[in-house]
Each structure stands twice: as C-alpha cells, then as structure tokens.
C-alpha cells in the first residue's frame, strides 16, 4: 500500500508568512509524529499524536507552531509568522502505535524562509 | 543532558573493517529501541529493532544494556554501501510514547 505522504515537498516562503504542511500517514496507523531536521543536524521531536489527541506537544519550538490531526488520519503542521530559523526539513512519520513498532517516514517537506 | 546521546562522528573506516556505535539514553522507563539509517538528504529508514537479548541481522548486531542504559550497533565486514548516518531511537512510554532520536553518527567506508 501507499507509504506516508507529505506535501508540499518543497516550500519557499517569505519571512512573516504562514505556512501549512500536510502529512497523510499509512492507512490504519494510529500514531503520527512530526520531526524537524536542520542541515547536518539530527531529528528534533516536535509533536506526537495518538489518534486525534496529542499526548506530547513539548517539542514545539514556540507558540507560532501548532498541529492538528482530524479523523485519526491526516495531520497538518502550521507555522505562523515564519522566521528564517524555521528553515529545515519537516519529517512526518507514522506507526501502528503498538510497542516496538517502527516508524515509517514520509519524504519530508523542505521549508525555506527567505 | 540530552535524552538520547550518540558517539560523535564521523567514523572513517576501510572496507572490511568492523565498527561499533554506542548510544546512551537517560530515561530508565524506556521500552523500545531501534537503529535507523539515514542517507544524505533522504528520510530515515529502519535498520533494525533492538531486543533485550540482543539480535543479529546479517552483518549487523544490536545489543541492549538496560542496567547501563545504552544500546550498541556492530557492523562487521563494512561495505562502501554502509556509508550513511546511523540514528539511535528510544521510546519514552512514560511520556506518552514519544520516540526520540539521537543526533546520529556518520559512517564513511572507504575503498
């Protein structure tokens, strides 16, 4: 079946604009994760969903970042008033939520704030 | 202290060498452990899960030491195609199940 799908694959935006990133997980996967990866850096945890609820939002860098998930499926990550330091690859991953289940990643959205 | 820490890289080794990576984690309640591989400008992909008794997959061996809170990855007979960044991943089920990645260790296998 289809893997994790993210859109857009690339996004260039001007500083101060809002952006919305979309993630469509593998069908039936209850757990959904957002990570951010800056060039040459590791993966920074942003937020995690189990179903539609987010048990852990501790990784969101500021109140400009928000995420939601509806219908236990598609998730959107919104960044308001983007700043240059928001430039990174935003990776979404899903799993079936069972202990020891691995993550399946999408190809990511490369965000560039000019 | 970071929740998950890895050996600093890069590791530069010749083909055929054996190389080992370590990863330490801070939360004793951690329950699931994985090694992922990430190629340049690609998304991470699961290499192997790490089980309590240790496990092997071909040239790759993973070990878990709960008492000392570290996991390891051993690669035998390194191939050029093993060149990548290796990411240690730990779950924190007492924090709602989030999975935390280490910063990664870069491996470069040379002819």
């Amino acid at each position: 079946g289809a893997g994790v799908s993210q859109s857009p694959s690339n996004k260039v935006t001007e500083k101060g604009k809002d952006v919305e990133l979309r993630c469509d997980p593998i069908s039936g996967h209850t757990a959904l994760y957002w990570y951010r990866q800056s060039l040459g850096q590791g993966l920074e945890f942003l937020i995690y969903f189990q179903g539609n609820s987010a048990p852990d939002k501790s990784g969101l860098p500021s109140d400009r970042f928000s995420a939601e998930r509806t219908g236990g499926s598609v998730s959107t990550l919104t960044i308001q008033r983007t700043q240059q330091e928001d430039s990174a690859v935003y990776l979404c991953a899903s799993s079936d939520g069972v202990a020891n289940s691995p993550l399946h990643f999408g190809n990511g959205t490369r965000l560039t704030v000019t | 202290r970071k929740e998950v820490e890895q050996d600093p890289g890069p590791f530069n080794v010749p083909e055929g060498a054996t190389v080992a990576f370590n990863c330490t984690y801070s939360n004793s309640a951690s329950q699931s452990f994985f090694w992922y591989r990430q190629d340049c400008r690609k998304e991470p992909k699961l290499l192997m899960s790490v089980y309590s008794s240790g496990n092997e997959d071909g040239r790759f061996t993973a070990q878990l030491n709960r008492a000392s809170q570290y996991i390891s990855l051993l690669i035998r007979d390194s191939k050029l195609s093993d060149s990548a960044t290796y990411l240690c991943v730990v779950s924190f089920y007492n924090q709602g199940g989030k999975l935390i990645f280490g910063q990664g260790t870069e491996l470069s296998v040379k002819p």
Side-chain angles (χ1 to χ4, degrees):
Chain A
V4 177
S5 176
Q6 291 188 247
S7 60
S9 54
N10 279 285
K11 177 72 177 178
V12 180
T13 190
E14 291 180 354
K15 178 182 172 181
K17 295 284 178 71
D18 298 352
V19 294
E20 193 171 277
L21 313 180
R22 176 188 168 107
C23 173
D24 203 340
I26 292 173
S27 178
H29 278 193
T30 58
L32 186 148
Y33 297 76
W34 284 99
Y35 294 89
R36 176 169 76 172
Q37 188 171 34
S38 300
L39 190 63
Q41 303 297 310
L43 272 71
E44 177 188 0
F45 171 82
L46 298 179
I47 189 169
Y48 153 68
F49 288 93
Q50 183 63 256
N52 290 337
S53 65
D56 195 323
K57 304 179 182 179
S58 63
L60 295 176
S62 74
D63 58 9
R64 296 186 295 104
F65 287 73
S66 63
E68 64 175 15
R69 188 180 186 196
T70 55
S73 183
V74 172
S75 175
T76 54
L77 177 69
T78 301
I79 310 173
Q80 296 177 308
R81 305 181 301 283
T82 51
Q83 304 294 312
Q84 287 184 329
E85 61 263 27
D86 299 335
S87 297
V89 175
Y90 289 80
L91 289 161
C92 175
S94 70
S95 80
D96 62 14
V98 175
N100 295 323
S101 292
L103 295 177
H104 299 266
F105 280 86
N107 292 332
T109 293
R110 184 174 300 277
L111 175 66
T112 304
V113 182
T114 60
Chain B
R1 181 186 172 192
K2 290 183 180 178
E3 292 175 295
V4 181
E5 295 199 71
Q6 294 187 237
D7 282 350
F11 283 52
N12 297 304
V13 303
E15 268 188 296
T18 295
V19 61
F21 306 136
N22 288 327
C23 169
T24 59
Y25 57 95
S26 61
N27 190 331
S28 61
S30 299
Q31 293 184 339
S32 298
F33 309 88
F34 307 92
W35 284 100
Y36 277 72
R37 170 191 169 131
Q38 186 174 29
D39 293 288
C40 188
R41 300 176 78 86
K42 299 282 190 181
E43 73 278 12
K45 291 187 186 297
L46 177 69
L47 177 66
M48 59 195 303
S49 302
V50 186
Y51 301 119
S52 296
S53 56
N55 48 299
E56 188 174 303
D57 183 2
R59 298 181 293 109
F60 298 84
T61 301
Q63 297 280 351
L64 168 63
N65 186 320
R66 285 191 182 273
S68 300
Q69 294 181 203
Y70 79 82
I71 68 172
S72 64
L73 177 68
L74 183 77
I75 305 175
R76 291 182 299 278
D77 188 24
S78 300
K79 311 291 185 192
L80 296 177
S81 57
D82 293 335
S83 297
T85 296
Y86 291 82
L87 301 161
C88 166
V89 185
V90 178
S91 71
F92 291 81
Y93 278 90
N94 65 342
Q95 294 182 36
K98 71 180 182 182
L99 288 157
I100 299 296
F101 283 71
Q103 72 270 33
T105 300
E106 184 182 347
L107 172 65
S108 180
V109 181
K110 306 292 188 183

